[in-house]
Amino acid sequence: MKIIILGFGAVGQGVARVLSVKKDYLKKKYGLTPSIVAVGDRSGAAINPGGLDEELLLKTKKKTGKISSYPEYGMPGVESINILDEVEYDCLVEVTPTDIHNGEPARSHMIKAMKNGKDVVTSNKGPLALSFQELATVAQSNSVEFKFEASVGGAMPIINFAHETLAGCNIESIFGILNGTTNYILSRMANEGSSYEQTLTEAQELGIAETDPYQDVEGIDAACKIVILANSVLNIPATLKDVEVEGISRITAESIALAKKEGMLIKLIGEASPDTLEVSPRLVRQGSPLAVEGTLNLATLKTDLADEVTVVGKGAGSVETASAILSDIISVWKVRK
């Protein structure tokens, strides 16, 4: 399978790393030999129809910050969309930075690849939260695979789990903790009695919160994931503007202490059902499944046959998110081989 990776930040590098580490395993277990034929970042591209060396890609990026510095095959200044015309490939892995305003350039990358008959695997929430129905339609009309397990909850298996493991069930609603940064902040505040501002600063120093944490702490990131789940699991044609959103920036140490006294915790909960699309801080009972700590994500699927099924997993991390992308690459391979 010839793969193009667009975007070579933490997740793109994670994909290169897992493809390198799992090479023998993939060949032995699935008969799959993945070959990265092109990588694009802001600097340009590295393109080799014969395949690029994963370790050298990682080394080049770490040393120079530019994928276009890749020895012999580096191409400075190439626009990411044009990389798709430069080399023959089977699957696009789209992991450019998320844009929640217009979903670009990821949306254009995906549509172009699909219209050219290529399968697409992505972790990119922006285009899915804004244009899910359009992307799904383009994929269907071009008979290509469109996979996005990594866009919700990092390594936490939910979308494929809902479609495959719970295939015989009608899923009525989904609710849970869909953002690791806010869960970390609220967990620390509960455990240490610290203020929101103090805990956010600490999370930024540890690299858990972004320098600009707005999308996480104001609930936008979780809202994007609620939209993806609403569309892909519940068949609700929602976009980001349909979700009622409230973040955690107004939560005080006092309100958390008060909740604890009553045996409760405050968590940022996302909910998707035919009646509700919402992200907001809610009270949950201590000791309940929703009382997970740190950067863990959790989702409960309410079904007609299996009652409530809960999945938990790491919601972020380079290799963790890449593990979900790898599972999608494998499922594309199974369809194609």
Side-chain angles (χ1 to χ4, degrees), residues 189-227:
M189 286 173 74
N191 291 335
E192 295 175 16
S194 51
S195 72
Y196 167 75
E197 290 77 14
Q198 184 189 339
T199 316
L200 172 60
T201 305
E202 179 193 297
Q204 286 170 317
E205 284 164 3
L206 290 168
I208 289 166
E210 304 274 351
T211 319
D212 176 3
Y214 177 80
Q215 286 186 26
D216 289 324
V217 298
E218 295 304 338
I220 310 295
D221 175 76
C224 287
K225 293 166 183 173
I226 281 296
V227 171

Side-chain angles (χ1 to χ4, degrees), residues 66-235:
K66 298 174 179 179
I67 213 64
S68 60
S69 304
Y70 186 94
E72 197 180 340
Y73 299 106
M75 295 173 70
V78 182
E79 288 284 324
S80 53
I81 193 98
N82 296 332
I83 297 169
L84 302 177
D85 295 322
E86 291 288 331
V87 65
E88 188 47 50
Y89 69 103
D90 304 304
C91 179
L92 167 64
V93 174
E94 215 304 335
V95 287
T96 57
T98 289
D99 181 300
I100 56 153
H101 303 293
N102 60 13
E104 296 296 353
R107 179 186 156 276
S108 295
H109 294 157
M110 293 185 209
I111 287 175
K112 183 179 173 81
M114 289 171 181
K115 286 185 172 173
N116 288 340
K118 310 301 182 187
D119 300 312
V120 172
V121 173
T122 189
S123 62
N124 204 318
K125 295 180 292 286
L128 295 169
L130 301 170
S131 315
F132 188 96
Q133 295 294 321
E134 178 194 23
L135 290 162
T137 304
V138 174
Q140 200 176 7
S141 55
N142 290 280
S143 304
V144 296
E145 293 295 302
F146 175 38
K147 297 282 187 182
F148 41 88
E149 180 63 64
S151 66
V152 178
M156 176 182 74
I158 179 162
I159 294 161
N160 297 333
F161 176 73
H163 287 299
E164 290 159 26
T165 312
L166 297 175
C169 295
N170 177 39
I171 296 168
E172 294 154 6
S173 67
I174 302 169
F175 61 93
I177 294 166
L178 300 173
N179 181 273
T181 303
T182 49
N183 200 46
Y184 175 85
I185 292 169
L186 293 171
S187 302
R188 294 291 288 202
M189 286 173 74
N191 291 335
E192 295 175 16
S194 51
S195 72
Y196 167 75
E197 290 77 14
Q198 184 189 339
T199 316
L200 172 60
T201 305
E202 179 193 297
Q204 286 170 317
E205 284 164 3
L206 290 168
I208 289 166
E210 304 274 351
T211 319
D212 176 3
Y214 177 80
Q215 286 186 26
D216 289 324
V217 298
E218 295 304 338
I220 310 295
D221 175 76
C224 287
K225 293 166 183 173
I226 281 296
V227 171
I228 296 166
L229 293 172
N231 278 277
S232 63
V233 178
L234 304 176
N235 295 317

Side-chain angles (χ1 to χ4, degrees), residues 238-252:
T239 65
L240 191 51
K241 64 178 187 331
D242 299 317
V243 187
E244 271 184 59
V245 188
E246 185 190 337
I248 66 162
S249 56
R250 293 198 302 219
I251 304 284
T252 61

Side-chain angles (χ1 to χ4, degrees), residues 44-63:
I47 300 173
N48 179 11
L52 298 158
D53 181 287
E54 297 92 357
E55 295 305 320
L56 188 51
L57 284 166
L58 293 164
K59 212 155 104 186
T60 304
K61 182 73 175 183
K62 190 176 180 186
K63 198 172 163 190

